[in-house]
Amino acid sequence: MALLRPLYEKYFRVEVKGIENIPAEGGALIVANHSGTVPLDALMMQVAVHDTHPAGRHLRLLAADLVFRLPVVNEIARKLGHTLACAEDAAELLGRGELVGVMPEGFKGIGKPFGERYKLQRFGRGGFVSTALRARAPIVPCSVVGAEEIYPMIGNARTVARLLGLPYFPVTPTFPWLGPLGALPLPTKWTIQFGQPIPTDGYAPEAADDPMLMFNLTDQVREEIQHTLYKLLVRRRSIFF
Amino acid sequence: MGRIVLVTGAARRLGDLYVREVLRDPDVERVVAVDAVTPGHDLGEAVFVRADIRQPAIGRVLAEHDVDTVVHLDVTGTALAGGSRSSVKETNVIGTMQLLGACQKSPSLRRLVVKSSTTVYGSAPRDPAVFTETTSPKALPSGGFAKDAVEVEGYVRGFARRRPDVAVCVLRFANILGPGTDTPLASYFRLPVLPTVLGYDPRLQFVHEDDVTGVLLRASREPERGTLNSGTFNIAGDGVLTLSQCARRMGRPTAPVLLPAVTLTGSLMRTLGLSDFSPEQIRLLTHGRVVNTRQMREVLGFHPRHSTAETFADFASAAGPGPLPPALLAAAVERLAGAVTGAGGGGDGGTEDAGRGNGRATHTSTQATATARPAGGSGGWPEGWRSCAAGSPASTRSTTSGTTPNSPTRC
């Protein structure tokens, strides 16, 4: 976390909006867009919540199983309080009143080409909605602007990815051509906006099994994030400032 | 009329401990201890019957003594007195089948307790952070003791269906440790240098031998009011320890090795017969495993007396300090840190003193952080923020000496 803070403050100069939309106590599910080839956006969100929220809440991120398969990464992830993105873990965390962060786009989001930036991908099967409904935790939509441009992915070396067992292998204007130097993210200016929470306690307990409602809620969250993204993009003066 | 208890695997350490305890129970009329080899220890007033549970003779023992409670402890990962892996597997699987067959024909049987293990959940990166009794493993164990345990549980479930009048209790134990434990994991921790898998720091859970006998006693008795002792239960001490914390408490340095090299060396050592370090052990020491013990507390009503950290401390003190005793290490770190802050802070006299004074405090706070994990079902939640402080001696120092106000978030 201390290592992430300079990146957060100096490098990406993250600006946080709407932090008051995160409840001071009790469980809540933060749903965000996912971008940037390397999931730095999730880590920045974690720093943002902890440093700007008056209660200093810890965001517990749900990570893909790839994170826990990779050496070193899995060790750090566990110590940062991340856990595997599965319904059991999410339900347990929300049940204990923790703040849970999820990126339902998954690899589709971070591994999308640069040309599709800020276009939200499909939100999985909406599992996050049913988990939130069961735990009666509000859903807080969150939009991250700036992360898309840190590694502009212009190509995807599928063969290399398959060989390494990764979901994609990014090719950017600098990576892998410049070697380790190319792995340096571009210093873009970031904005993280937390939207109005969507309450879920108004629904009956059996609503979690209603697929129609789930799709509707998923779409509602998705639209909300997408609209906020567009709004933030219009307001942005330049990628780097 | 008192109860008559039959214990399998009585020649082993756990069988011995359990037999001693159950003999003290005033309700128990007779204890029948069964094993294929004569135990090296004195079983007291228990009747020892030398019988191989793989043979149908076990049925005659059951009938002869009119047994009403069977405690099946002969489900183990290691052979006694140099047996091979195949004979262990046979005792585990065929032995359980024979025993259950005999149990089914025994009209006097009321209660069956089976020792199983949390290895049935496997260890994989795709697993949820905490297993409950109903979690189905993502990848079924492919072999070794874990597979035996899965098969044993399968047979026990079949038995429970066929004899609904018998109360069946399956206890899934986390890694059992105690001062005299002789499991592969215990011998691993006794190595002077602990080989670990590079880039992985698994979360481990332990259960103390005394708690094992305690829970076995509870399971083999009539249930107390408000509790139920039939079903499947995870048994583990509170809290979790990471392998790096374990190594530090043992005072042993770690030697991180790349995963493929570990697997290769492990199989080579096994082929040469130098060690019986199985692939499932390697997986455990790579990905770790944490189980939820809410059922144990709320349904079985059992509260372990030793937490994971206390169990490990007990084991570590019996095993003797390694080359790097924690107290010595902490003092060295303090002195180093004192020197660094002293130089950095322009020779501030107070810093040095504070640094020295914290020498003992560092160690105790490491322990406190580990033991003060949320109790109950949350037994071992993924290493949270607080464990970061316990994660490395350097960061612990910064939290205790209070030089950085925001230090708990330093990871």
Side-chain angles (χ1 to χ4, degrees):
Chain A
M1 198 90 166
L3 293 174
L4 290 173
R5 206 158 282 129
L7 203 64
Y8 172 87
E9 284 165 1
K10 301 273 155 41
Y11 202 79
F12 294 133
R13 294 145 291 149
V14 182
E15 191 186 335
V16 182
K17 289 178 178 167
I19 191 78
E20 68 281 354
N21 287 324
I22 297 174
E25 55 185 25
L29 188 70
I30 297 181
V31 182
N33 59 320
H34 210 10
S35 54
T37 312
V38 176
L40 283 174
D41 52 347
L43 299 175
M44 290 301 121
M45 222 165 84
Q46 196 176 8
V47 180
V49 170
H50 181 255
D51 285 6
T52 55
H53 196 274
R57 296 200 67 172
H58 293 308
L59 180 66
R60 306 293 298 261
L61 289 166
L62 302 182
D65 55 338
L66 177 72
V67 167
F68 295 102
R69 215 168 60 212
L70 295 173
V72 186
V73 177
N74 86 89
E75 193 178 334
I76 298 167
R78 279 280 182 226
K79 286 183 177 166
L80 279 169
H82 303 173
T83 189
L84 182 78
C86 61
E88 293 98 327
D89 281 7
E92 168 94 33
L93 281 172
L94 284 175
R96 284 206 271 136
E98 300 249 19
L99 210 54
V100 180
V102 67
M103 271 89 172
E105 287 178 273
F107 290 122
K108 294 189 298 297
I110 48 172
K112 64 178 179 281
F114 189 62
E116 287 179 29
R117 63 191 179 277
Y118 297 117
K119 272 193 208 124
L120 283 188
Q121 304 294 303
R122 189 170 56 85
F123 263 21
R125 280 164 286 179
F128 70 95
V129 173
S130 65
T131 309
L133 279 176
R134 286 207 178 90
R136 307 191 147 251
I139 299 173
V140 180
C142 170
S143 319
V144 184
V145 168
E148 291 276 15
E149 290 92 356
I150 56 170
Y151 295 111
M153 185 161 143
I154 51 169
N156 181 1
R158 290 221 167 74
T159 322
V160 185
R162 244 200 315 278
L163 279 176
L164 293 173
L166 300 172
Y168 57 91
F169 188 84
V171 177
T172 71
T174 51
F175 183 82
W177 324 117
L178 296 180
L181 203 66
L184 208 69
L186 296 177
T188 53
K189 162 83 181 160
W190 287 31
T191 310
I192 300 179
Q193 161 111 48
F194 296 100
Q196 285 287 329
I198 301 166
T200 54
D201 45 7
Y203 298 97
E206 62 271 15
D209 297 319
D210 180 358
M212 218 47 224
L213 179 76
M214 293 236 310
F215 281 125
N216 284 344
L217 267 176
T218 311
D219 279 348
Q220 188 189 340
V221 175
R222 196 168 167 274
E223 291 295 302
E224 167 86 30
I225 297 173
Q226 185 73 74
H227 279 301
T228 319
L229 278 178
Y230 286 145
K231 260 187 259 168
L232 289 172
L233 282 172
V234 168
R235 244 180 276 157
R236 182 163 75 160
R237 278 167 296 153
S238 118
I239 293 176
F240 297 104
F241 298 102
Chain B
M1 195 191 101
R3 287 156 52 220
I4 299 155
V5 182
L6 181 132
V7 184
T8 65
R12 289 171 185 275
R13 184 169 165 81
L14 284 179
D16 172 35
L17 291 173
Y18 174 69
V19 166
R20 276 162 205 261
E21 282 298 318
V22 80
L23 277 172
R24 289 198 206 135
D25 192 337
D27 293 341
V28 174
E29 186 184 298
R30 198 185 316 153
V31 179
V32 184
V34 174
D35 210 321
V37 290
T38 317
H41 42 78
D42 182 25
L43 285 171
E45 293 166 40
V47 183
F48 178 73
V49 179
R50 187 170 168 172
D52 193 335
I53 56 166
R54 285 170 289 178
Q55 306 298 330
I58 188 73
R60 282 202 296 280
V61 180
L62 274 175
E64 195 182 312
H65 294 277
D66 219 12
V67 172
D68 56 25
T69 306
V70 170
V71 180
H72 183 32
L73 301 181
D74 214 348
V75 183
T76 47
T78 47
L80 202 63
S84 67
R85 164 77 197 123
S86 59
S87 79
V88 175
K89 185 183 166 66
E90 230 174 74
T91 311
N92 286 344
V93 179
I94 309 291
T96 305
M97 285 176 80
Q98 281 286 358
L99 182 71
L100 291 178
C103 288
Q104 197 171 342
K105 291 213 175 63
S106 160
S108 59
L109 189 74
R110 288 287 158 267
R111 199 165 285 283
L112 170 71
V113 180
V114 180
K115 167 183 175 273
S116 180
S117 154
T118 55
T119 50
V120 296
Y121 300 117
S123 288
R126 289 181 53 94
D127 286 332
V130 176
F131 289 102
T132 63
E133 281 80 352
T134 49
T135 314
S136 58
K138 289 282 189 300
L140 272 173
S142 54
F145 172 56
K147 197 179 177 201
D148 294 359
V150 171
E151 285 174 1
V152 164
E153 285 200 11
Y155 292 128
V156 172
R157 271 195 296 279
F159 171 80
R161 267 199 304 278
R162 289 190 295 271
R163 281 288 300 267
D165 57 317
V166 176
V168 177
C169 182
V170 177
L171 301 173
R172 290 177 179 160
F173 291 105
N175 295 99
I176 300 169
L177 275 188
T181 315
D182 194 23
T183 59
L185 194 71
S187 37
Y188 164 78
F189 279 122
R190 288 201 185 94
L191 293 174
V193 176
L194 303 181
T196 59
V197 183
L198 182 71
Y200 292 90
D201 197 5
R203 299 161 302 140
L204 304 172
Q205 264 180 327
F206 304 109
V207 55
H208 198 278
E209 279 175 347
D210 298 348
D211 285 327
V212 173
T213 35
V215 75
L216 283 173
L217 278 179
R218 182 175 268 272
S220 58
R221 234 183 262 149
E222 285 295 314
E224 281 172 21
R225 273 180 80 91
T227 66
L228 193 69
N229 65 358
S230 54
T232 307
F233 300 98
N234 291 332
I235 310 293
D238 296 344
V240 288
L241 280 180
T242 62
L243 184 58
S244 56
Q245 286 174 316
C246 291
R248 235 182 337 274
R249 275 154 210 222
M250 290 297 286
R252 281 155 167 78
T254 55
V257 189
L258 278 172
L259 183 57
V262 175
T263 322
L264 205 72
T265 327
S267 64
L268 197 72
M269 297 258 280
R270 246 187 339 275
T271 329
L272 295 174
L274 290 174
S275 102
D276 48 359
F277 219 71
S278 57
E280 85 222 20
Q281 294 277 354
I282 293 174
R283 268 200 298 279
L284 172 71
L285 292 177
T286 311
H287 302 298
R289 186 190 311 122
V290 175
V291 295
N292 184 317
T293 54
R294 190 177 297 154
Q295 292 278 325
M296 168 184 88
R297 289 161 186 288
E298 291 175 5
V299 180
L300 189 61
F302 178 74
H303 300 273
R305 281 186 292 132
H306 302 265
S307 71
T308 289
E310 285 161 7
T311 304
F312 197 78
D314 200 14
F315 169 74
S317 63
L324 295 172
L328 210 75
L329 198 69
V333 168
E334 281 312 317
R335 209 159 305 139
L336 196 72
V340 169
T341 48
D348 182 10
T351 333
E352 181 97 359
D353 277 348
R356 280 191 197 285
N358 274 325
R360 193 62 44 79
T362 309
H363 187 54
T364 45
S365 86
T366 316
Q367 301 242 330
T369 331
T371 47
R373 269 317 136 52
S378 50
W381 202 242
E383 287 308 293
W385 303 87
R386 292 204 289 169
S387 70
C388 296
S392 74
S395 62
T396 318
R397 186 202 60 78
S398 69
T399 47
T400 46
S401 57
T403 43
T404 44
N406 215 359
S407 46
T409 54
R410 199 199 121 115
C411 294

